[in-house]
């Protein structure tokens, strides 16, 4: 009788079993929040894309907060990515608001400029005002009231026989008569042997919006040949205009010009700014 011997079975390698109830990490929301947050932030840097930045920012913020909730419950392992995505979503929202404000302001400025061009509100002076060198102190022109705010040295400036250019938007430019002036010893712009003349200029804002006086310029030519009359600067004249003039207010500045000794007239040209036509006053010396 033969004896049967069973051969041993080969030992299987050890494989750890997955604990019951354990699921794979769900990191999709955090990654999506990060990607959308990055795109939204980049879009927010372009003001015209504020709408896209706002939409992506809202989605990234919601997904980032949801992903953080998963990480807290142990369902995801990318809590840092989710947090960063939510932060970028919030940044995108802030940039979208800033872009919307900038875009609205730019469009509003363009519309105002177009309206000014169409209506000609500030491009030229009204008919009958002192323009084109025709102002010579006639009775038909509007004279100044004899007082001026912001005058140098806090003194009232008399502008008798002055002429006023009245613009459509309420701005008024008044130039007084030329008077002889003696520059001090430290003055610049004055040539020995020439004569110096002082002119008072008043800008009055009778419109509804603020006026930037810093853009106003005053130049002059002297004599029948119209040679350039160099502006004189010293401790009393030459500061020019600066700052903003509120509606209902005015600002005064005094200018001095160097002219040939035999000059009989001084042509003063005032340009209130790039949106206004320049006007000229022909003053007798």
């Amino acid at each position: 009788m033969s004896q049967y011997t069973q051969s041993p079975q080969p030992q299987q390698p050890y494989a750890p079993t997955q604990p019951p109830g354990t699921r794979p990490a769900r990191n999709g929301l955090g990654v999506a929040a990060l990607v959308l947050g990055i795109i939204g932030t980049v879009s927010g840097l372009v003001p015209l894309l504020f709408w896209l930045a706002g939409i992506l920012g809202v989605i990234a913020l919601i997904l980032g907060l949801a992903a953080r909730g998963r990480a807290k419950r142990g369902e995801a392992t990318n809590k840092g990515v989710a947090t960063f995505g939510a932060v970028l979503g919030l940044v995108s929202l802030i940039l979208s608001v800033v872009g919307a404000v900038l875009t609205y302001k730019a469009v509003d400025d363009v519309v105002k400029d177009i309206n000014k061009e169409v209506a000609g509100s500030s491009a030229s002076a009204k008919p009958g005002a002192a323009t084109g060198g025709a102002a010579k102190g006639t009775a038909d022109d509007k004279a100044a009231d004899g007082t001026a705010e912001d005058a140098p040295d806090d003194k009232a400036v008399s502008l008798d026989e002055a002429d006023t250019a009245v613009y459509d938007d309420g701005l008024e430019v008044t130039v007084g008569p030329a008077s002889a002036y003696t520059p001090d010893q430290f003055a610049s712009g004055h040539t020995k042997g020439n004569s110096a003349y002082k002119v008072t200029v008043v800008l009055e804002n009778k419109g509804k919006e603020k006026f930037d006086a810093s853009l106003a310029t005053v130049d002059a030519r002297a004599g029948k040949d119209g040679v350039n009359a160099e502006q004189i600067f010293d401790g009393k004249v030459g500061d020019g205009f600066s700052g903003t003039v509120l509606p209902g207010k005015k600002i005064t500045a005094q200018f001095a010009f160097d002219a040939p000794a035999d000059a009989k007239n001084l042509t003063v040209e005032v340009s209130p700014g790039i949106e206004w036509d320049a006007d000229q006053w022909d003053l007798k010396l």
Side-chain angles (χ1 to χ4, degrees), residues 99-130:
V101 173
L102 293 178
T103 301
Y104 173 79
K105 186 177 185 304
V107 173
D108 186 59
D109 291 341
V110 171
V111 172
K112 287 183 179 179
D113 290 340
I114 293 175
N115 291 336
K116 286 183 179 180
E117 290 294 333
V118 174
S121 61
S122 62
S124 59
K126 291 181 179 179

Side-chain angles (χ1 to χ4, degrees), residues 18-113:
Q18 183 176 354
T22 302
R23 298 180 181 179
R26 302 167 64 189
N27 295 331
L29 291 182
V31 174
L34 179 62
V35 173
L36 294 179
I38 293 175
I39 299 175
T41 301
V42 174
S43 301
L45 297 177
V46 182
L48 291 178
L49 297 180
F50 68 91
W51 56 273
L52 180 60
I55 295 174
L56 296 180
V58 171
I59 298 175
L61 182 60
I62 294 175
L63 294 181
L65 294 178
R68 280 177 53 86
R70 283 186 176 181
K72 288 182 178 180
R73 294 190 299 270
E75 299 175 359
T77 59
N78 62 343
K79 182 178 180 182
V81 173
T83 302
F84 194 43
V87 171
L88 288 179
L90 182 60
V91 172
S92 300
L93 287 176
I94 296 175
L95 291 176
S96 68
V97 174
V98 175
V101 173
L102 293 178
T103 301
Y104 173 79
K105 186 177 185 304
V107 173
D108 186 59
D109 291 341
V110 171
V111 172
K112 287 183 179 179
D113 290 340

Side-chain angles (χ1 to χ4, degrees), residues 263-275:
K264 302 299 182 182
N265 69 295
L266 184 70
T267 301
V268 177
E269 180 174 287
V270 180
S271 175
I274 59 177
E275 297 181 359

Side-chain angles (χ1 to χ4, degrees), residues 139-150:
D140 294 334
D141 292 320
K142 182 179 179 180
D145 57 8
T147 60
E149 296 177 25
D150 300 326

Side-chain angles (χ1 to χ4, degrees), residues 1-15:
M1 179 176 176
S2 63
Q3 185 178 3
Y4 174 75
T5 304
Q6 184 178 4
S7 61
Q9 295 294 328
Q11 186 177 3
Q12 297 294 329
Y14 172 76

Side-chain angles (χ1 to χ4, degrees), residues 195-247:
S195 299
Y197 297 93
K198 182 176 66 174
V199 176
T200 300
V201 180
V202 178
L203 304 178
E204 185 170 4
N205 184 9
K206 292 187 177 181
K208 298 179 180 180
E209 298 182 358
K210 296 185 294 184
F211 171 70
D212 186 3
S214 62
L215 299 178
T217 59
V218 180
D219 300 297
R221 297 184 297 274
K224 61 180 181 179
D225 295 330
V227 298
N228 180 58
E230 188 173 357
Q231 187 174 343
I232 299 173
F233 297 89
D234 61 13
K236 299 179 181 179
V237 296
D239 290 337
F241 296 106
S242 62
T244 301
V245 184
L246 297 176

